[in-house]
Amino acid sequence: IQVLEDIKENPKITSTPFYEIFIYLNLGVLHFDLGRYRESLRFITRLYQLDSYQNADKALQFKISIVELMIRYELRDFEYLEYRIKRINKDFRDLLKKIEFLKEKDFMLIISRLEMAASEPSTLRKINVFIDKYKNSGDSDDEILNYGNWLIDKIKKKRSL
């Protein structure tokens, strides 16, 4: 984190759009992994404001939006989570029609119902199907945060309550 913080202040590096996105995204991910969700959200929000983000590939923007959903869930900001899902569905409508983004589409449906998983057996079944479907697919390499591992962690916590 400290290395990325130092790099973030170096104009030679941040003048390259890819590096600028890389720095903020990785700071967000590292803070997420440490359970510092507010810090994580702060970096993702800053990332959205970068010109380099606005010019980035739509698929990357979409996957970053999925990360934000995970952060919002961790922060228990369910009202905003619901709003963001609707916004993502609208902003990335074309991507969501493509087979390559079926996993993200499925994940968004699950995360929208995740809080009810303990009381809705059908949601728990969908989560288990999702985890089984994607655990050996090799597709997790294209995820910024591993959806399956995150869901497994959420299910374990729900069962321990």
Side-chain angles (χ1 to χ4, degrees):
I1 290 175
Q2 189 56 52
V3 170
L4 288 170
E5 287 285 353
D6 293 343
I7 292 172
K8 182 174 63 116
E9 304 304 321
N10 184 332
K12 283 185 179 180
I13 294 174
T14 57
S15 65
T16 303
F18 173 77
Y19 292 146
E20 189 176 41
I21 291 171
F22 174 84
I23 292 165
Y24 282 93
L25 180 57
N26 279 288
L27 282 167
V29 168
L30 288 169
H31 283 286
F32 182 91
D33 288 343
L34 294 171
R36 299 178 190 154
Y37 304 118
R38 293 221 179 278
E39 280 295 301
S40 179
L41 183 60
R42 187 170 66 89
F43 284 107
I44 297 301
T45 302
R46 282 189 185 166
L47 178 60
Y48 288 155
Q49 298 167 358
L50 300 174
D51 289 337
S52 52
Y53 173 83
Q54 301 304 322
N55 297 320
D57 181 71
K58 279 289 196 196
L60 177 61
Q61 290 178 1
F62 178 50
K63 290 183 187 255
I64 291 169
S65 294
I66 300 294
V67 168
E68 182 192 359
L69 296 179
M70 296 165 80
I71 297 167
R72 296 285 179 182
Y73 184 88
E74 293 293 353
L75 290 170
R76 306 194 60 74
D77 190 355
F78 301 123
E79 190 175 314
Y80 196 79
L81 176 74
E82 188 178 318
Y83 162 78
R84 280 298 291 151
I85 290 171
K86 289 176 186 172
R87 187 72 207 184
I88 291 168
N89 279 324
K90 181 180 176 194
D91 291 346
F92 299 102
R93 184 178 320 129
D94 293 339
L95 289 181
L96 287 163
K97 292 177 186 174
K98 295 181 178 183
I99 192 85
E100 308 95 277
F101 297 99
L102 180 60
K103 178 175 39 175
E104 284 74 18
K105 185 177 180 178
D106 290 347
F107 183 74
M108 285 179 24
L109 179 65
I110 287 170
I111 202 169
S112 70
R113 306 295 308 160
L114 188 56
E115 195 54 23
M116 310 302 170
S119 61
E120 291 181 355
S122 64
T123 300
L124 193 53
R125 276 192 301 277
K126 286 178 185 175
I127 292 169
N128 287 323
V129 166
F130 180 91
I131 291 168
D132 288 343
K133 181 177 179 180
Y134 294 110
K135 72 179 175 188
N136 293 323
S137 68
D139 289 343
S140 64
D141 291 345
D142 69 348
E143 299 167 7
I144 296 171
L145 294 170
N146 187 292
Y147 310 145
N149 289 344
W150 185 78
L151 286 170
I152 289 168
D153 184 57
K154 297 299 117 198
I155 296 306
K156 284 180 184 175
K157 286 180 182 174
K158 289 203 176 296
R159 287 183 179 149
S160 68
L161 294 178

